[in-house]
Structure formats: C-alpha cells, structure tokens
C-alpha cells in the first residue's frame, strides 16, 4: 500500500469517526459483539454516513482493515488510529541481517574498487544489464574496476523496494551515480534492481539491471 493510499484512508476514517451517533438502543458501539460482522447494517450505515457526510468512497475506510470503531470514542483514540494508519510500512520489512550486510559490503566494494570482495559477493553466473543495454558477465563486470582511473563515488539508494524470500531477494531503488572514467567525470540518474540468491548459506548477487532515467 502506498503512502498516498494510507493517507487517504486515514483522512476518510477520521471524517467518518468525527460525528457521534445520537440514537437510542445502540449501546454506543457500531459492532457490539466480537464475532459480529464488521460490515454495518443498511440502516445503521446510512445513518452513520449521513451524520459524517461521507462519500461512498469513504465507506471502505471503516472496514478495509476490519476496524470496528466506537462513535463515542475520545478524540485521542481517534488520533491514535489515524497515526497507526499513517505509520504502516509502504514496502517490505527490513532485510535479514546477513543479507543487509552482504548488500552493504557490495556497495562498499564498488566504491572502493575492491575486486576481491566483489568476486566473493557476485555469483559465477552473474549477469549485469547496463543503462546502455549492453550485457556483462561476472568477468566483464569485475574487469571494469581494474580500468585505470575508473572510480565510483559513494551513492545513496532512494525509494527502496525490497522483496525477500527464504533463499532469494529483489532489491531496487533510485540513485544518482557519479563516477570518473577515461579522465571524465560523469553523472547519471538510474533506476536499479538486483536479484540476490542465498546459496550454501551465503547471499550472492546473481542479476543486476540498470535503467537510465530520462
């Protein structure tokens, strides 16, 4: 779920929970029993949304996550629920420690032209698709770091996307790459993605793709 969607749901939820229901015999709750359906009955739903002036699109905010809110809840509780929605992560959870270390070592080895470390972190069948559509294998990739004067500056991966399985992972994002080659300093904004595989208990990069951002 994107940050924009979470914010929209949070705003809709706050609007729908803003006005108390003044109806007899409701006991102060929309869902009185734990095992009752989170979907409101027709008459109750109509009364609630007439009070809250919610549009049809807002109604999903009351049940998208199975919430059963109390119309008489104090403002502090409503605020806590809204903040909980906004704090939900947009992407995958944190990387496993051993994978996070492998990724950090890979980045550090590229910046430091550490060919031995890269050879240890890159699988033998590694394939890299460059931003100019050329394709390199492991040997060609490592050879770049032995070129005289070739140097990559430290970079920061933004807008990270991380998907992890027990023995595989995809890590990507956006970065501004700055490097020196053939005596020329160059800068390029790139969208990158890497596939990692865990083999014999060790994480290794098996595929990389670099796309130039227009």
């Amino acid at each position: 779920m994107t940050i924009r969607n979470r914010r929209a749901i949070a705003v809709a939820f706050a609007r729908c929970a803003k006005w108390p229901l003044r109806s007899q015999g409701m006991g102060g709750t929309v869902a009185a029993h734990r095992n009752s359906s989170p979907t409101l009955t027709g008459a109750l739903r109509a009364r609630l949304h007439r009070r809250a002036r919610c549009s049809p699109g807002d109604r999903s905010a009351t049940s998208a996550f199975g919430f059963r809110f109390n119309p008489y809840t104090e403002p502090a509780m409503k605020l806590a629920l809204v903040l909980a929605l906004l704090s939900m992560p947009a992407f995958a959870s944190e990387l496993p420690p051993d994978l996070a270390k492998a990724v950090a070592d890979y980045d550090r080895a590229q910046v430091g032209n550490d060919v031995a470390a890269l050879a240890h972190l890159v699988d033998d069948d590694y394939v890299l698709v460059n931003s100019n559509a050329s394709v390199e294998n492991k040997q060609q990739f490592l050879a770049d770091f032995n070129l005289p004067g070739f140097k990559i500056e430290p970079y920061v991966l933004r807008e990270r996307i991380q998907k992890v399985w027990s023995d595989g992972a995809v890590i990507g994002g956006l970065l501004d790459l700055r490097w020196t080659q053939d005596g020329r300093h160059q800068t390029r904004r790139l969208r990158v993605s890497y596939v990692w595989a865990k083999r014999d208990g060790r994480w290794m990069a098996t595929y990389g793709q670099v796309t130039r951002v227009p």
Side-chain angles (χ1 to χ4, degrees):
M1 176 178 296
T2 64
I3 295 174
R4 179 181 298 177
N5 288 342
R6 292 202 310 273
R7 184 176 292 113
I9 292 174
V11 171
F13 181 86
R15 289 173 56 195
C16 291
K18 183 177 179 181
W19 299 93
L21 295 178
R22 297 171 182 171
S23 176
Q24 298 178 355
M26 291 175 57
T29 61
V30 172
H33 304 287
R34 176 179 295 273
N35 295 326
S36 62
S37 170
T39 304
L40 304 179
T41 63
L44 182 55
R45 184 190 300 111
R47 183 173 300 173
L48 173 61
H49 292 291
R50 185 167 58 252
R51 287 286 187 180
R53 294 187 177 91
C54 292
S55 66
D58 290 336
R59 289 197 288 269
S60 61
T62 64
S63 59
F65 299 100
F67 289 139
R68 299 171 181 175
F69 62 85
N70 186 333
Y72 292 98
T73 304
E74 293 296 326
M77 181 61 70
K78 298 173 187 175
L79 177 60
L81 290 172
V82 172
L83 292 177
L85 281 171
L86 294 176
S87 65
M88 292 175 64
F91 299 110
S93 59
E94 294 297 322
L95 298 178
D98 55 346
L99 175 56
K101 182 180 184 304
V103 172
D105 290 345
Y106 180 90
D107 292 340
R108 186 163 46 249
Q110 287 205 110
V111 173
N113 285 31
D114 191 340
V115 176
L118 287 172
H120 181 73
L121 290 163
V122 171
D123 205 355
D124 290 339
D125 61 356
Y126 179 75
V127 174
L128 173 65
V129 180
N130 290 303
S131 61
N132 62 0
S134 64
V135 179
E136 294 182 337
N137 58 25
K138 178 177 181 177
Q139 289 71 32
Q140 293 168 324
F141 166 71
L142 295 177
D144 291 341
F145 294 91
N146 284 322
L147 294 174
F150 179 77
K151 180 68 175 179
I152 295 178
E153 297 181 10
Y155 52 85
V156 176
L157 187 64
R158 310 188 307 277
E159 301 180 14
R160 295 180 70 97
I161 299 175
Q162 302 174 169
K163 294 184 178 296
V164 184
W165 300 269
S166 60
D167 57 354
V170 176
I171 300 173
L174 183 72
L175 61 83
D176 292 311
L177 187 66
R178 297 177 177 85
W179 77 100
T180 301
Q181 184 175 356
D182 299 328
R184 297 172 52 199
H185 185 265
Q186 303 186 53
T187 301
R188 190 168 297 176
R189 177 161 293 181
L190 303 169
R191 180 76 63 177
V192 301
S193 59
Y194 292 94
V195 177
W196 290 77
K198 193 170 189 178
R199 296 177 177 172
D200 298 326
R202 184 161 60 92
W203 286 100
M204 305 184 72
T206 65
Y207 178 83
Q209 181 158 347
V210 182
T211 303
R212 186 171 186 173
V213 178

